[in-house]
Amino acid sequence: MEKLANKKLFLFLIFIFLLVLFFIFKNKAVKLEKNEHTGVFFKKPFPLIKLNPKNNLIDPTSFLIIVENETSTNSFFSKLESRFGSIEGKMVKVSGELLTGNGARFIKISNEHEAVGVLENQNIYPSEQTKTKKINLDGKIIDLKCVTKNDFSMECFQENLYKGVIPALRILRNKENIDYLLKIEDYKLIDNYLKNNFETIVKIFGGYYYQNGFNVINLDSISNVK
């Protein structure tokens, strides 16, 4: 009987160990190999590239751009356009690494301007945006870059906040996480959130629109959920 009990305990511990490993790898950021990708570049709501189906994607999918060793993605592309002219709405080729995990979508590219190649001279792809409407939603404010690393700490959030990395409101709808990128003018709203409501469900008020593959909210205010 004692041997049987020990065997059951051993099997139970193995099961728990495998279960923990499963959740670790499930939530870990998925890194695809650095390859060349073609797609259309847009500046708004934040610098992004909409990859076309030739990139082994079922549908055109938008990825927010992270630039290696750059604190500001906007600054990188401003310098690039000062040399080569506007690339808004143009087909481009970039060498980068797709980062996905926990629902976030990024492409990490080199900080060398030569790593971005413009394939067309004309801005022939129009930016898409729906009309803005007032909205209020309950959810958690997250840092998408931290999410890809499975790091939900305040330290990671604060480290990225003033580097131009995009915070988002994440809501759970029909058992699926949906993210709304937050456009912020008054960063005191986020400072107060970090001090008083970090990792809690809050209510967001603002102007909602859909732009180039992403849900976006122009943030007006944040309040507690009662």
Side-chain angles (χ1 to χ4, degrees):
M1 291 293 293
E2 184 178 352
K3 288 184 178 180
L4 181 61
N6 289 337
K7 184 177 181 180
K8 287 183 177 179
L9 177 61
F10 176 75
L11 292 175
F12 176 74
L13 292 175
I14 291 294
F15 172 76
I16 295 297
F17 176 73
L18 293 175
L19 190 64
V20 170
L21 285 180
F22 169 77
F23 280 104
I24 290 175
F25 284 103
K26 179 183 177 183
N27 293 319
K28 189 176 181 180
V30 178
K31 294 186 178 183
L32 305 181
E33 290 184 4
K34 185 176 289 187
N35 293 311
E36 286 193 338
H37 302 279
T38 58
V40 182
F41 173 81
F42 294 108
K43 291 181 181 178
K44 295 182 178 181
F46 299 94
L48 64 92
I49 182 170
K50 180 177 283 189
L51 301 184
N52 58 37
K54 292 181 180 179
N55 292 273
N56 297 320
L57 301 170
I58 298 175
D59 299 306
T61 304
S62 297
F63 286 79
L64 298 168
I65 297 173
I66 297 176
V67 183
E68 291 180 350
N69 303 317
E70 287 282 341
T71 56
S72 172
T73 303
N74 283 318
S75 175
F76 171 84
F77 282 101
S78 293
K79 293 176 183 176
L80 182 70
E81 291 188 321
S82 69
R83 295 174 58 187
F84 303 108
S86 173
I87 61 173
E88 175 75 10
K90 292 182 179 180
M91 186 71 71
V92 298
K93 179 181 288 186
V94 298
S95 176
E97 178 182 28
L98 300 184
L99 304 176
T100 62
N102 289 317
R105 302 193 308 272
F106 286 100
I107 180 168
K108 187 175 183 179
I109 67 172
S110 167
N111 62 350
E112 299 292 333
H113 289 152
E114 291 74 15
V116 180
V118 181
L119 303 180
E120 295 171 333
N121 294 324
Q122 300 296 320
N123 306 62
I124 60 175
Y125 299 94
S127 176
E128 60 173 347
Q129 179 180 332
T130 61
K131 291 184 178 180
T132 302
K133 63 178 182 180
K134 289 297 182 180
I135 194 173
N136 65 81
L137 292 170
D138 295 350
K140 282 188 176 182
I141 297 177
I142 60 173
D143 181 291
L144 290 175
K145 188 175 180 181
C146 295
V147 164
T148 63
K149 299 186 293 185
N150 201 35
D151 185 347
F152 297 91
S153 67
M154 183 182 294
E155 290 75 18
C156 185
F157 195 115
Q158 290 177 318
E159 180 183 351
N160 289 321
L161 183 59
Y162 297 101
K163 293 182 179 179
V165 178
I166 307 104
L169 179 74
R170 172 162 287 185
I171 69 171
L172 184 64
R173 181 181 295 161
N174 298 325
K175 298 182 180 180
E176 181 182 359
N177 288 324
I178 300 176
D179 294 335
Y180 293 78
L181 306 185
L182 297 178
K183 301 279 285 187
I184 304 168
E185 291 189 3
D186 184 2
Y187 272 84
K188 289 182 180 178
L189 294 173
I190 297 297
D191 288 336
N192 290 334
Y193 163 76
L194 290 173
K195 291 177 182 177
N196 304 312
N197 299 300
F198 184 67
E199 289 192 324
T200 63
I201 301 294
V202 293
K203 186 179 290 291
I204 290 291
F205 297 85
Y208 164 78
Y209 56 95
Y210 181 85
Q211 187 175 40
N212 296 323
F214 290 99
N215 296 305
V216 188
I217 295 177
N218 290 327
L219 182 61
D220 290 334
S221 63
I222 303 172
S223 68
N224 296 328
V225 174
K226 297 180 180 179

PDB file of all heavy atoms in Angstrom, residues 139-169:
ATOM      1  N   GLY A 139     -11.493  47.297 -18.098  1.00  0.00           N
ATOM      2  CA  GLY A 139     -10.421  46.365 -18.410  1.00  0.00           C
ATOM      3  C   GLY A 139      -9.158  46.697 -17.639  1.00  0.00           C
ATOM      4  O   GLY A 139      -9.155  47.551 -16.752  1.00  0.00           O
ATOM      5  N   LYS A 140      -8.066  46.033 -18.001  1.00  0.00           N
ATOM      6  CA  LYS A 140      -6.765  46.275 -17.384  1.00  0.00           C
ATOM      7  C   LYS A 140      -5.860  47.003 -18.363  1.00  0.00           C
ATOM      8  O   LYS A 140      -5.840  46.686 -19.555  1.00  0.00           O
ATOM      9  CB  LYS A 140      -6.100  44.955 -16.970  1.00  0.00           C
ATOM     10  CG  LYS A 140      -6.638  44.351 -15.695  1.00  0.00           C
ATOM     11  CD  LYS A 140      -5.781  43.163 -15.269  1.00  0.00           C
ATOM     12  CE  LYS A 140      -6.249  42.603 -13.932  1.00  0.00           C
ATOM     13  NZ  LYS A 140      -5.387  41.479 -13.480  1.00  0.00           N
ATOM     14  N   ILE A 141      -5.096  47.967 -17.854  1.00  0.00           N
ATOM     15  CA  ILE A 141      -4.119  48.659 -18.689  1.00  0.00           C
ATOM     16  C   ILE A 141      -2.816  47.858 -18.657  1.00  0.00           C
ATOM     17  O   ILE A 141      -2.307  47.514 -17.588  1.00  0.00           O
ATOM     18  CB  ILE A 141      -3.883  50.097 -18.193  1.00  0.00           C
ATOM     19  CG1 ILE A 141      -5.181  50.899 -18.296  1.00  0.00           C
ATOM     20  CG2 ILE A 141      -2.782  50.770 -19.009  1.00  0.00           C
ATOM     21  CD1 ILE A 141      -5.075  52.317 -17.776  1.00  0.00           C
ATOM     22  N   ILE A 142      -2.287  47.568 -19.835  1.00  0.00           N
ATOM     23  CA  ILE A 142      -1.081  46.748 -19.944  1.00  0.00           C
ATOM     24  C   ILE A 142      -0.075  47.433 -20.856  1.00  0.00           C
ATOM     25  O   ILE A 142      -0.413  48.345 -21.610  1.00  0.00           O
ATOM     26  CB  ILE A 142      -1.403  45.343 -20.506  1.00  0.00           C
ATOM     27  CG1 ILE A 142      -2.038  45.469 -21.903  1.00  0.00           C
ATOM     28  CG2 ILE A 142      -2.301  44.572 -19.556  1.00  0.00           C
ATOM     29  CD1 ILE A 142      -2.235  44.144 -22.606  1.00  0.00           C
ATOM     30  N   ASP A 143       1.164  46.998 -20.772  1.00  0.00           N
ATOM     31  CA  ASP A 143       2.205  47.418 -21.703  1.00  0.00           C
ATOM     32  C   ASP A 143       2.442  46.255 -22.658  1.00  0.00           C
ATOM     33  O   ASP A 143       2.834  45.168 -22.239  1.00  0.00           O
ATOM     34  CB  ASP A 143       3.491  47.760 -20.946  1.00  0.00           C
ATOM     35  CG  ASP A 143       4.595  48.230 -21.881  1.00  0.00           C
ATOM     36  OD1 ASP A 143       5.103  47.388 -22.651  1.00  0.00           O
ATOM     37  OD2 ASP A 143       4.959  49.412 -21.844  1.00  0.00           O
ATOM     38  N   LEU A 144       2.185  46.468 -23.940  1.00  0.00           N
ATOM     39  CA  LEU A 144       2.211  45.359 -24.888  1.00  0.00           C
ATOM     40  C   LEU A 144       3.599  44.739 -25.037  1.00  0.00           C
ATOM     41  O   LEU A 144       3.729  43.534 -25.240  1.00  0.00           O
ATOM     42  CB  LEU A 144       1.694  45.825 -26.252  1.00  0.00           C
ATOM     43  CG  LEU A 144       0.194  46.127 -26.310  1.00  0.00           C
ATOM     44  CD1 LEU A 144      -0.186  46.684 -27.667  1.00  0.00           C
ATOM     45  CD2 LEU A 144      -0.615  44.874 -26.007  1.00  0.00           C
ATOM     46  N   LYS A 145       4.642  45.562 -24.946  1.00  0.00           N
ATOM     47  CA  LYS A 145       5.987  45.006 -25.059  1.00  0.00           C
ATOM     48  C   LYS A 145       6.291  44.103 -23.867  1.00  0.00           C
ATOM     49  O   LYS A 145       6.908  43.040 -24.017  1.00  0.00           O
ATOM     50  CB  LYS A 145       7.026  46.122 -25.153  1.00  0.00           C
ATOM     51  CG  LYS A 145       8.433  45.611 -25.457  1.00  0.00           C
ATOM     52  CD  LYS A 145       9.409  46.753 -25.657  1.00  0.00           C
ATOM     53  CE  LYS A 145      10.817  46.238 -25.952  1.00  0.00           C
ATOM     54  NZ  LYS A 145      11.780  47.351 -26.116  1.00  0.00           N
ATOM     55  N   CYS A 146       5.857  44.517 -22.676  1.00  0.00           N
ATOM     56  CA  CYS A 146       6.040  43.678 -21.491  1.00  0.00           C
ATOM     57  C   CYS A 146       5.250  42.380 -21.631  1.00  0.00           C
ATOM     58  O   CYS A 146       5.706  41.311 -21.210  1.00  0.00           O
ATOM     59  CB  CYS A 146       5.586  44.420 -20.236  1.00  0.00           C
ATOM     60  SG  CYS A 146       6.571  45.880 -19.836  1.00  0.00           S
ATOM     61  N   VAL A 147       4.070  42.484 -22.227  1.00  0.00           N
ATOM     62  CA  VAL A 147       3.215  41.310 -22.394  1.00  0.00           C
ATOM     63  C   VAL A 147       3.894  40.252 -23.250  1.00  0.00           C
ATOM     64  O   VAL A 147       3.807  39.056 -22.975  1.00  0.00           O
ATOM     65  CB  VAL A 147       1.858  41.724 -23.011  1.00  0.00           C
ATOM     66  CG1 VAL A 147       1.103  40.519 -23.549  1.00  0.00           C
ATOM     67  CG2 VAL A 147       1.007  42.431 -21.969  1.00  0.00           C
ATOM     68  N   THR A 148       4.606  40.680 -24.309  1.00  0.00           N
ATOM     69  CA  THR A 148       5.283  39.699 -25.161  1.00  0.00           C
ATOM     70  C   THR A 148       6.367  38.949 -24.400  1.00  0.00           C
ATOM     71  O   THR A 148       6.720  37.829 -24.755  1.00  0.00           O
ATOM     72  CB  THR A 148       5.920  40.365 -26.401  1.00  0.00           C
ATOM     73  OG1 THR A 148       6.940  41.284 -25.990  1.00  0.00           O
ATOM     74  CG2 THR A 148       4.883  41.100 -27.229  1.00  0.00           C
ATOM     75  N   LYS A 149       6.902  39.580 -23.349  1.00  0.00           N
ATOM     76  CA  LYS A 149       7.932  38.935 -22.528  1.00  0.00           C
ATOM     77  C   LYS A 149       7.332  38.223 -21.321  1.00  0.00           C
ATOM     78  O   LYS A 149       8.059  37.713 -20.471  1.00  0.00           O
ATOM     79  CB  LYS A 149       8.950  39.978 -22.050  1.00  0.00           C
ATOM     80  CG  LYS A 149       9.698  40.677 -23.165  1.00  0.00           C
ATOM     81  CD  LYS A 149      10.790  41.584 -22.638  1.00  0.00           C
ATOM     82  CE  LYS A 149      10.231  42.761 -21.872  1.00  0.00           C
ATOM     83  NZ  LYS A 149      11.295  43.711 -21.447  1.00  0.00           N
ATOM     84  N   ASN A 150       5.987  38.243 -21.237  1.00  0.00           N
ATOM     85  CA  ASN A 150       5.286  37.635 -20.107  1.00  0.00           C
ATOM     86  C   ASN A 150       5.706  38.280 -18.788  1.00  0.00           C
ATOM     87  O   ASN A 150       5.789  37.625 -17.749  1.00  0.00           O
ATOM     88  CB  ASN A 150       5.531  36.120 -20.060  1.00  0.00           C
ATOM     89  CG  ASN A 150       4.463  35.395 -19.258  1.00  0.00           C
ATOM     90  OD1 ASN A 150       3.295  35.776 -19.282  1.00  0.00           O
ATOM     91  ND2 ASN A 150       4.852  34.362 -18.540  1.00  0.00           N
ATOM     92  N   ASP A 151       5.976  39.592 -18.844  1.00  0.00           N
ATOM     93  CA  ASP A 151       6.382  40.349 -17.660  1.00  0.00           C
ATOM     94  C   ASP A 151       5.297  41.386 -17.374  1.00  0.00           C
ATOM     95  O   ASP A 151       5.151  42.364 -18.099  1.00  0.00           O
ATOM     96  CB  ASP A 151       7.727  41.039 -17.913  1.00  0.00           C
ATOM     97  CG  ASP A 151       8.260  41.749 -16.672  1.00  0.00           C
ATOM     98  OD1 ASP A 151       7.497  41.913 -15.700  1.00  0.00           O
ATOM     99  OD2 ASP A 151       9.438  42.143 -16.680  1.00  0.00           O
ATOM    100  N   PHE A 152       4.533  41.172 -16.314  1.00  0.00           N
ATOM    101  CA  PHE A 152       3.422  42.056 -15.991  1.00  0.00           C
ATOM    102  C   PHE A 152       3.741  42.952 -14.793  1.00  0.00           C
ATOM    103  O   PHE A 152       2.842  43.471 -14.142  1.00  0.00           O
ATOM    104  CB  PHE A 152       2.165  41.224 -15.708  1.00  0.00           C
ATOM    105  CG  PHE A 152       1.698  40.424 -16.900  1.00  0.00           C
ATOM    106  CD1 PHE A 152       2.141  39.126 -17.093  1.00  0.00           C
ATOM    107  CD2 PHE A 152       0.841  40.983 -17.833  1.00  0.00           C
ATOM    108  CE1 PHE A 152       1.726  38.389 -18.192  1.00  0.00           C
ATOM    109  CE2 PHE A 152       0.417  40.251 -18.932  1.00  0.00           C
ATOM    110  CZ  PHE A 152       0.858  38.956 -19.118  1.00  0.00           C
ATOM    111  N   SER A 153       5.029  43.145 -14.524  1.00  0.00           N
ATOM    112  CA  SER A 153       5.439  43.928 -13.360  1.00  0.00           C
ATOM    113  C   SER A 153       5.318  45.423 -13.624  1.00  0.00           C
ATOM    114  O   SER A 153       5.352  45.887 -14.769  1.00  0.00           O
ATOM    115  CB  SER A 153       6.888  43.602 -12.986  1.00  0.00           C
ATOM    116  OG  SER A 153       7.777  44.063 -13.995  1.00  0.00           O
ATOM    117  N   MET A 154       5.203  46.187 -12.536  1.00  0.00           N
ATOM    118  CA  MET A 154       5.161  47.638 -12.646  1.00  0.00           C
ATOM    119  C   MET A 154       6.495  48.175 -13.163  1.00  0.00           C
ATOM    120  O   MET A 154       6.541  49.167 -13.896  1.00  0.00           O
ATOM    121  CB  MET A 154       4.833  48.272 -11.296  1.00  0.00           C
ATOM    122  CG  MET A 154       4.692  49.798 -11.362  1.00  0.00           C
ATOM    123  SD  MET A 154       4.358  50.578  -9.763  1.00  0.00           S
ATOM    124  CE  MET A 154       2.730  49.935  -9.410  1.00  0.00           C
ATOM    125  N   GLU A 155       7.596  47.515 -12.792  1.00  0.00           N
ATOM    126  CA  GLU A 155       8.919  47.967 -13.227  1.00  0.00           C
ATOM    127  C   GLU A 155       9.033  47.945 -14.746  1.00  0.00           C
ATOM    128  O   GLU A 155       9.549  48.887 -15.358  1.00  0.00           O
ATOM    129  CB  GLU A 155      10.007  47.092 -12.608  1.00  0.00           C
ATOM    130  CG  GLU A 155      10.208  47.264 -11.116  1.00  0.00           C
ATOM    131  CD  GLU A 155       9.113  46.616 -10.287  1.00  0.00           C
ATOM    132  OE1 GLU A 155       8.379  45.752 -10.831  1.00  0.00           O
ATOM    133  OE2 GLU A 155       8.968  46.969  -9.103  1.00  0.00           O
ATOM    134  N   CYS A 156       8.557  46.875 -15.364  1.00  0.00           N
ATOM    135  CA  CYS A 156       8.610  46.773 -16.824  1.00  0.00           C
ATOM    136  C   CYS A 156       7.727  47.839 -17.458  1.00  0.00           C
ATOM    137  O   CYS A 156       8.111  48.486 -18.432  1.00  0.00           O
ATOM    138  CB  CYS A 156       8.171  45.381 -17.271  1.00  0.00           C
ATOM    139  SG  CYS A 156       8.340  45.099 -19.050  1.00  0.00           S
ATOM    140  N   PHE A 157       6.543  48.045 -16.896  1.00  0.00           N
ATOM    141  CA  PHE A 157       5.612  49.052 -17.406  1.00  0.00           C
ATOM    142  C   PHE A 157       6.256  50.434 -17.368  1.00  0.00           C
ATOM    143  O   PHE A 157       6.250  51.172 -18.365  1.00  0.00           O
ATOM    144  CB  PHE A 157       4.331  49.031 -16.564  1.00  0.00           C
ATOM    145  CG  PHE A 157       3.167  49.743 -17.190  1.00  0.00           C
ATOM    146  CD1 PHE A 157       2.039  49.042 -17.576  1.00  0.00           C
ATOM    147  CD2 PHE A 157       3.187  51.121 -17.396  1.00  0.00           C
ATOM    148  CE1 PHE A 157       0.959  49.691 -18.151  1.00  0.00           C
ATOM    149  CE2 PHE A 157       2.116  51.778 -17.964  1.00  0.00           C
ATOM    150  CZ  PHE A 157       0.994  51.063 -18.345  1.00  0.00           C
ATOM    151  N   GLN A 158       6.824  50.802 -16.220  1.00  0.00           N
ATOM    152  CA  GLN A 158       7.423  52.131 -16.069  1.00  0.00           C
ATOM    153  C   GLN A 158       8.647  52.307 -16.961  1.00  0.00           C
ATOM    154  O   GLN A 158       8.889  53.390 -17.495  1.00  0.00           O
ATOM    155  CB  GLN A 158       7.795  52.365 -14.609  1.00  0.00           C
ATOM    156  CG  GLN A 158       6.594  52.544 -13.696  1.00  0.00           C
ATOM    157  CD  GLN A 158       6.979  52.695 -12.247  1.00  0.00           C
ATOM    158  OE1 GLN A 158       7.860  51.994 -11.751  1.00  0.00           O
ATOM    159  NE2 GLN A 158       6.328  53.607 -11.547  1.00  0.00           N
ATOM    160  N   GLU A 159       9.420  51.245 -17.131  1.00  0.00           N
ATOM    161  CA  GLU A 159      10.626  51.319 -17.958  1.00  0.00           C
ATOM    162  C   GLU A 159      10.285  51.673 -19.399  1.00  0.00           C
ATOM    163  O   GLU A 159      11.004  52.427 -20.063  1.00  0.00           O
ATOM    164  CB  GLU A 159      11.364  49.981 -17.917  1.00  0.00           C
ATOM    165  CG  GLU A 159      12.637  49.957 -18.752  1.00  0.00           C
ATOM    166  CD  GLU A 159      13.308  48.596 -18.741  1.00  0.00           C
ATOM    167  OE1 GLU A 159      12.886  47.725 -17.947  1.00  0.00           O
ATOM    168  OE2 GLU A 159      14.240  48.402 -19.530  1.00  0.00           O
ATOM    169  N   ASN A 160       9.169  51.147 -19.895  1.00  0.00           N
ATOM    170  CA  ASN A 160       8.801  51.354 -21.294  1.00  0.00           C
ATOM    171  C   ASN A 160       7.927  52.579 -21.529  1.00  0.00           C
ATOM    172  O   ASN A 160       7.865  53.095 -22.644  1.00  0.00           O
ATOM    173  CB  ASN A 160       8.048  50.126 -21.824  1.00  0.00           C
ATOM    174  CG  ASN A 160       8.963  48.932 -21.990  1.00  0.00           C
ATOM    175  OD1 ASN A 160      10.102  49.067 -22.407  1.00  0.00           O
ATOM    176  ND2 ASN A 160       8.467  47.758 -21.648  1.00  0.00           N
ATOM    177  N   LEU A 161       7.248  53.042 -20.483  1.00  0.00           N
ATOM    178  CA  LEU A 161       6.198  54.037 -20.650  1.00  0.00           C
ATOM    179  C   LEU A 161       6.672  55.296 -21.356  1.00  0.00           C
ATOM    180  O   LEU A 161       6.002  55.814 -22.252  1.00  0.00           O
ATOM    181  CB  LEU A 161       5.603  54.391 -19.281  1.00  0.00           C
ATOM    182  CG  LEU A 161       4.440  55.382 -19.299  1.00  0.00           C
ATOM    183  CD1 LEU A 161       3.287  54.840 -20.129  1.00  0.00           C
ATOM    184  CD2 LEU A 161       3.976  55.674 -17.876  1.00  0.00           C
ATOM    185  N   TYR A 162       7.829  55.813 -20.971  1.00  0.00           N
ATOM    186  CA  TYR A 162       8.299  57.074 -21.535  1.00  0.00           C
ATOM    187  C   TYR A 162       9.291  56.867 -22.681  1.00  0.00           C
ATOM    188  O   TYR A 162       9.999  57.779 -23.077  1.00  0.00           O
ATOM    189  CB  TYR A 162       8.906  57.941 -20.434  1.00  0.00           C
ATOM    190  CG  TYR A 162       7.873  58.313 -19.388  1.00  0.00           C
ATOM    191  CD1 TYR A 162       7.817  57.652 -18.172  1.00  0.00           C
ATOM    192  CD2 TYR A 162       6.922  59.297 -19.651  1.00  0.00           C
ATOM    193  CE1 TYR A 162       6.852  57.970 -17.226  1.00  0.00           C
ATOM    194  CE2 TYR A 162       5.952  59.623 -18.716  1.00  0.00           C
ATOM    195  CZ  TYR A 162       5.923  58.960 -17.504  1.00  0.00           C
ATOM    196  OH  TYR A 162       4.968  59.275 -16.578  1.00  0.00           O
ATOM    197  N   LYS A 163       9.329  55.649 -23.204  1.00  0.00           N
ATOM    198  CA  LYS A 163      10.161  55.354 -24.366  1.00  0.00           C
ATOM    199  C   LYS A 163       9.320  55.219 -25.631  1.00  0.00           C
ATOM    200  O   LYS A 163       9.800  54.742 -26.654  1.00  0.00           O
ATOM    201  CB  LYS A 163      10.947  54.061 -24.140  1.00  0.00           C
ATOM    202  CG  LYS A 163      12.005  54.152 -23.049  1.00  0.00           C
ATOM    203  CD  LYS A 163      12.762  52.842 -22.928  1.00  0.00           C
ATOM    204  CE  LYS A 163      13.835  52.917 -21.861  1.00  0.00           C
ATOM    205  NZ  LYS A 163      14.567  51.632 -21.731  1.00  0.00           N
ATOM    206  N   GLY A 164       8.064  55.620 -25.536  1.00  0.00           N
ATOM    207  CA  GLY A 164       7.209  55.548 -26.711  1.00  0.00           C
ATOM    208  C   GLY A 164       6.569  54.191 -26.931  1.00  0.00           C
ATOM    209  O   GLY A 164       5.939  53.959 -27.958  1.00  0.00           O
ATOM    210  N   VAL A 165       6.749  53.269 -25.972  1.00  0.00           N
ATOM    211  CA  VAL A 165       6.105  51.968 -26.094  1.00  0.00           C
ATOM    212  C   VAL A 165       4.637  52.115 -25.734  1.00  0.00           C
ATOM    213  O   VAL A 165       4.271  52.860 -24.832  1.00  0.00           O
ATOM    214  CB  VAL A 165       6.790  50.924 -25.197  1.00  0.00           C
ATOM    215  CG1 VAL A 165       6.087  49.586 -25.292  1.00  0.00           C
ATOM    216  CG2 VAL A 165       8.245  50.773 -25.616  1.00  0.00           C
ATOM    217  N   ILE A 166       3.795  51.382 -26.430  1.00  0.00           N
ATOM    218  CA  ILE A 166       2.366  51.650 -26.388  1.00  0.00           C
ATOM    219  C   ILE A 166       1.655  50.893 -25.268  1.00  0.00           C
ATOM    220  O   ILE A 166       1.679  49.666 -25.246  1.00  0.00           O
ATOM    221  CB  ILE A 166       1.709  51.258 -27.729  1.00  0.00           C
ATOM    222  CG1 ILE A 166       2.429  51.938 -28.889  1.00  0.00           C
ATOM    223  CG2 ILE A 166       0.242  51.595 -27.744  1.00  0.00           C
ATOM    224  CD1 ILE A 166       3.323  51.040 -29.665  1.00  0.00           C
ATOM    225  N   PRO A 167       0.997  51.622 -24.354  1.00  0.00           N
ATOM    226  CA  PRO A 167       0.107  50.941 -23.418  1.00  0.00           C
ATOM    227  C   PRO A 167      -1.221  50.633 -24.105  1.00  0.00           C
ATOM    228  O   PRO A 167      -1.567  51.239 -25.124  1.00  0.00           O
ATOM    229  CB  PRO A 167      -0.072  51.961 -22.291  1.00  0.00           C
ATOM    230  CG  PRO A 167       0.148  53.280 -22.937  1.00  0.00           C
ATOM    231  CD  PRO A 167       1.113  53.056 -24.064  1.00  0.00           C
ATOM    232  N   ALA A 168      -1.945  49.696 -23.548  1.00  0.00           N
ATOM    233  CA  ALA A 168      -3.225  49.313 -24.142  1.00  0.00           C
ATOM    234  C   ALA A 168      -4.199  48.922 -23.042  1.00  0.00           C
ATOM    235  O   ALA A 168      -3.796  48.540 -21.940  1.00  0.00           O
ATOM    236  CB  ALA A 168      -3.037  48.148 -25.112  1.00  0.00           C
ATOM    237  N   LEU A 169      -5.470  49.031 -23.353  1.00  0.00           N
ATOM    238  CA  LEU A 169      -6.511  48.508 -22.474  1.00  0.00           C
ATOM    239  C   LEU A 169      -6.867  47.116 -22.968  1.00  0.00           C
ATOM    240  O   LEU A 169      -7.188  46.935 -24.141  1.00  0.00           O
ATOM    241  CB  LEU A 169      -7.752  49.400 -22.503  1.00  0.00           C
ATOM    242  CG  LEU A 169      -8.909  48.904 -21.622  1.00  0.00           C
ATOM    243  CD1 LEU A 169      -8.600  49.147 -20.152  1.00  0.00           C
ATOM    244  CD2 LEU A 169     -10.226  49.568 -22.007  1.00  0.00           C
TER     245      LEU A 169
END
